Amino acid sequence: MPIKNSSQKNPDSFVMNEDTVNIAVAEYLASKGFKCDKPLKGRQIGVDVKAWKGEYTILVESKGSQ
């Protein structure tokens, strides 16, 4: 069961929602030469981030830390 960050003894200083994670992953992969589809946002259904480079394909299912 999730615990609110504000009520933790040592709150997590690095909090990202799923959309922010998807964008960061897509930008990182693009910086490494991968071509990426636009990452999913909100409650869209499907693979959150799809990227490919040569014979490699990366499919990412992400979760936020909230």
Side-chain angles (χ1 to χ4, degrees), residues 38-60:
K38 187 175 177 183
L40 298 185
K41 290 186 176 182
R43 296 193 175 265
Q44 291 179 302
I45 297 173
V47 177
D48 291 327
V49 180
K50 296 179 190 176
W52 60 94
K53 179 180 175 182
E55 62 187 57
Y56 298 102
T57 301
I58 297 177
L59 306 173
V60 177

Side-chain angles (χ1 to χ4, degrees), residues 4-13:
K4 288 185 178 183
N5 197 37
S6 60
S7 66
Q8 292 182 7
K9 185 175 182 179
N10 295 313
D12 187 353
S13 60

